[in-house]
Amino acid sequence: MSGSKGRSKKKASTPSDASPDNLPLRSSGRQVRKKASEAIEDEEDFLEKKYRKCEKAGCTAACPVCFASAAERCAKNGYTSRWYHLSCGEHFCNECFDHYYRSHKDGYEIYCSWKRIWTSNGKSEPSPKAYMADQQLPYWVQCTKPECGKWRQLTKEIQLTMQMAKTYRCGMKLNNALKAEGSDHCSMPEDLRVLEVSTQPWYAMLILPPLLKDSPAAPLLAAYYPDCVGMSPSCTNTNRLHGENKQEQSRGASSNSGINPYFQPFYQPNECGKALCVRPDVMELDELYEFPEYSRDPTMYLGMRNLILALWHINCKEVLTPQTCAHHIMVRGLVRIRCVQEVERILYFITRKGLVNTGVLSVSPGQCLLPKEYHSKSVIVVGAGPAGLAAARQLHNFGLQVMILEARDRIGGRVWDDKSFKGVTVGKGAQIVNGCINNPIAIMCEQIDIKMRKLREKCDLIQEGGRFTDPSIDKRMEFHFNAILDVVAEWRKDKSQQQDVPLGGILCPGGLCTYNLVIICSWLKWVFILIGNG
């Protein structure tokens, strides 16, 4: 305390200090104000020693509380020389920091063990703050009662599971999954920190992005650093593959996870050119436009988007809902509340984009795939072919009013099946799926349990009357067909061509010889036969 404060102590009164009438001496107004200010300073010094605010600029926590309680001398909600900020409402004291970071402390070996796992799998820095967020923050879980829905903080020792997230009720005893006896626990007020989580300032004050644990996307993303695609490197299912054949190993891991081999929702490193495929470590342009708040650090968005795509391709026979996604979001701290709130927006966007909730799903009238603001719109679809029917069904599942216009007296377009034979359906139209990877037809076949047979080198052609085509003729036609394609490809390289020319003029510039004419007519004949037989 300063010298001025020492001089402010009141001296013991003596008989000479009193007036003849035993009345205290009068003090001037300046002295009274000085004594009052010194008393306030003394009180502030006392409070400064008892409490200490978070030094993070913008933190709204007036009196931080240590969530770790790891050190014997943990400050809890008292005084510490420094508060370490993870989010507004989540701090740990300097004593708990020393407990794990100092080599002579008991928690140092635990921290080093976690650090080795993190370094071997991840790319980000394994800092003490990352350890606290990944291992020490308590989980938050939401009550599943429809009339409640309040968020409750679990103790630090309890590990949140998917089953627990599905069935949790306020006051539930988590050791035996029985509800605690006593009063109605749902009537207890919710923690005040929960309301602040949904605000943008709270997210801006978040020090570390959330990294999901036990994500269903982990087997599909084994070739990537987990923390680059929104997953925690400390989990065993996120052990990154090493070596030159990482892509092949990753595809093998996806097949072992029970996903259809034709489903490849994520690009592997250095891949490109696949339909309905996304980069798991980068936001696409339309995603940046829809979610600009994640442009600086997309980790949170990538983790949830990858989780949604993985869940859909694991089970595409049921509608993927925000509740289903929320049960798989495993991350410590208040940020789990934020993730559950944001996953609904992300799911609706990916559904509009056509990456999930597509195909021949049966959606009940009260269960629409998009929010109510889309339900007042009406759409007319021209043509009842495969594309028109699929578009109409998807729009109807979105909740829109749809009308289909078709000029023919039947639906299906080029897909036309003959069911005149008893118990046998003969395809008179399209039958072959070209390019099965991420093909919508592959999704529909999976949804209705229809097996697709892979076409191999031997593929018999059947003519009218059930006769098989001679394989030598088939090979000869294929040779001439490929030769024609090669000639046309060479012709297209000539940029001086301004208009279309007859095919015969390209194949035989000097005029069609008899041999070429026979080949072309024969090739066209077989084309018509193949078209007629589907």
Side-chain angles (χ1 to χ4, degrees):
M1 189 175 292
S2 63
S4 61
K5 294 179 184 178
R7 292 193 298 271
S8 65
K9 294 182 179 179
K10 187 177 180 181
K11 297 181 180 180
S13 61
T14 61
S16 61
D17 294 332
S19 64
D21 297 330
N22 294 326
L23 297 176
L25 294 175
R26 293 184 179 180
S27 300
S28 64
R30 180 181 301 174
Q31 291 176 333
V32 172
R33 289 192 296 271
K34 182 178 179 181
K35 290 181 179 180
S37 62
E38 290 174 351
I40 293 174
E41 289 178 2
D42 291 341
E43 184 178 359
E44 288 179 351
D45 289 344
F46 174 77
L47 293 176
E48 177 67 18
K49 289 184 177 180
K50 189 175 182 181
Y51 302 105
R52 187 183 185 91
K53 293 183 179 180
C54 176
E55 298 178 357
K56 177 70 175 178
C59 180
T60 58
C63 183
V65 179
C66 180
F67 61 80
S69 299
E72 293 183 1
R73 301 182 62 185
C74 174
K76 300 188 185 299
N77 61 345
Y79 174 81
T80 183
S81 59
R82 178 181 178 182
W83 286 108
Y84 291 87
H85 175 102
L86 293 184
S87 72
C88 295
E90 293 173 322
H91 302 79
F92 60 97
C93 64
N94 190 64
E95 287 73 15
C96 290
F97 172 86
D98 290 341
H99 177 75
Y100 290 107
Y101 191 68
R102 305 304 176 189
S103 59
H104 62 283
K105 297 290 185 178
D106 295 338
Y108 181 74
E109 289 299 327
I110 301 175
Y111 172 69
C112 289
S113 177
W114 169 87
K115 188 176 180 180
R116 284 191 293 269
I117 298 175
W118 188 283
T119 305
S120 63
N121 294 329
K123 191 176 182 180
S124 58
E125 181 68 22
S127 63
K129 285 188 176 182
Y131 170 77
M132 289 293 191
D134 189 69
Q135 298 292 316
Q136 296 298 317
L137 272 175
Y139 283 103
W140 288 76
V141 64
Q142 190 175 23
C143 180
T144 55
K145 277 188 177 181
E147 63 273 13
C148 179
K150 295 178 181 177
W151 287 92
R152 305 298 186 188
Q153 177 180 321
L154 304 179
T155 58
K156 186 180 64 173
E157 295 76 17
I158 297 178
Q159 297 289 329
L160 182 63
T161 62
M162 183 181 66
Q163 185 62 27
M164 188 187 304
K166 287 182 178 180
T167 60
Y168 179 81
R169 300 287 183 90
C170 292
M172 178 181 288
K173 290 183 179 179
L174 298 177
N175 54 353
N176 56 9
L178 295 176
K179 187 177 179 181
E181 298 179 358
S183 59
D184 182 15
H185 294 272
C186 290
S187 61
M188 298 179 63
E190 191 176 51
D191 195 304
L192 296 177
R193 292 175 292 174
V194 175
L195 295 176
E196 193 178 1
V197 171
S198 59
T199 63
Q200 186 58 30
W202 184 92
Y203 181 72
M205 294 296 296
L206 189 65
I207 295 297
L208 298 171
L211 297 176
L212 304 184
K213 295 175 175 289
D214 303 323
S215 174
L220 304 175
L221 302 176
Y224 290 88
Y225 288 105
D227 45 348
C228 292
V229 291
M231 300 186 301
S232 172
S234 64
C235 296
T236 56
N237 66 342
T238 57
N239 289 342
R240 196 170 68 90
L241 298 177
H242 300 277
E244 298 179 356
N245 298 323
K246 291 187 293 183
Q247 297 183 19
E248 288 73 10
Q249 296 178 46
S250 181
R251 293 193 186 96
S254 64
S255 61
N256 294 334
S257 63
I259 296 180
N260 190 311
Y262 295 133
F263 298 169
Q264 297 178 17
F266 305 111
Y267 282 119
Q268 297 304 312
N270 302 321
E271 273 190 339
C272 62
K274 288 183 181 178
L276 303 177
C277 200
V278 300
R279 284 278 304 276
D281 57 340
V282 176
M283 291 180 68
E284 298 184 350
L285 292 178
D286 56 346
E287 294 175 319
L288 290 170
Y289 180 80
E290 186 76 12
F291 302 96
E293 63 270 26
Y294 296 113
S295 58
R296 294 185 62 183
D297 188 354
T299 307
M300 179 175 174
Y301 176 85
L302 294 175
M304 290 187 291
R305 181 250 269 162
N306 297 340
L307 178 143
I308 291 172
L309 292 177
L311 286 176
W312 166 247
H313 288 90
I314 290 173
N315 181 15
C316 62
K317 298 180 180 180
E318 298 179 1
V319 175
L320 186 60
T321 63
Q323 292 74 23
T324 303
C325 299
H327 297 155
H328 289 81
I329 296 176
M330 300 297 158
V331 62
R332 291 180 177 270
L334 287 166
V335 74
R336 182 173 186 268
I337 303 175
R338 180 80 178 201
C339 290
V340 172
Q341 294 171 349
E342 289 291 292
V343 75
E344 186 174 11
R345 291 177 56 212
I346 300 174
L347 176 62
Y348 287 152
F349 170 76
I350 297 177
T351 300
R352 294 201 323 264
K353 196 174 179 180
L355 296 179
V356 301
N357 289 333
T358 60
V360 290
L361 290 175
S362 62
V363 180
S364 60
Q367 181 188 20
C368 296
L369 301 180
L370 292 183
K372 293 182 178 180
E373 54 262 28
Y374 294 89
H375 299 175
S376 60
K377 302 181 183 299
S378 300
V379 179
I380 295 177
V381 177
V382 179
L389 293 174
R393 186 187 189 97
Q394 188 71 1
L395 293 171
H396 180 267
N397 290 342
F398 284 171
L400 281 66
Q401 304 296 322
V402 184
M403 177 184 293
I404 305 177
L405 303 180
E406 173 56 53
R408 296 183 181 180
D409 58 353
R410 63 174 181 85
I411 64 173
R414 289 176 293 172
V415 178
W416 187 15
D417 294 337
D418 188 346
K419 299 183 180 180
S420 59
F421 298 97
K422 292 183 180 180
V424 178
T425 300
V426 179
K428 298 171 64 176
Q431 301 176 26
I432 299 176
V433 179
N434 291 313
C436 297
I437 302 299
N438 296 338
N439 195 307
I441 302 296
I443 291 280
M444 290 188 283
C445 290
E446 179 74 13
Q447 289 171 334
I448 57 181
D449 294 323
I450 293 180
K451 300 294 184 181
M452 292 195 300
R453 185 168 65 91
K454 187 174 182 180
L455 294 179
R456 313 224 175 243
E457 293 184 1
K458 183 180 180 181
C459 182
D460 295 327
L461 300 178
I462 303 176
Q463 305 180 37
E464 295 180 2
R467 294 179 292 108
F468 286 92
T469 303
D470 187 353
S472 61
I473 297 177
D474 182 24
K475 290 182 179 180
R476 191 164 69 232
M477 290 303 102
E478 183 180 6
F479 170 78
H480 292 303
F481 174 69
N482 292 331
I484 292 174
L485 293 180
D486 293 339
V487 172
V488 173
E490 288 295 326
W491 173 80
R492 292 185 62 184
K493 292 180 180 179
D494 186 1
K495 301 300 182 181
S496 63
Q497 300 290 344
Q498 300 296 330
Q499 60 184 4
D500 294 339
V501 298
L503 180 62
I506 301 174
L507 299 178
C508 190
L512 285 176
C513 60
T514 304
Y515 176 74
N516 287 338
L517 183 61
V518 170
I519 290 178
I520 294 175
C521 292
S522 177
W523 175 75
L524 293 175
K525 171 187 174 183
W526 282 106
V527 169
F528 291 140
I529 291 176
L530 294 177
I531 293 176
N533 289 312

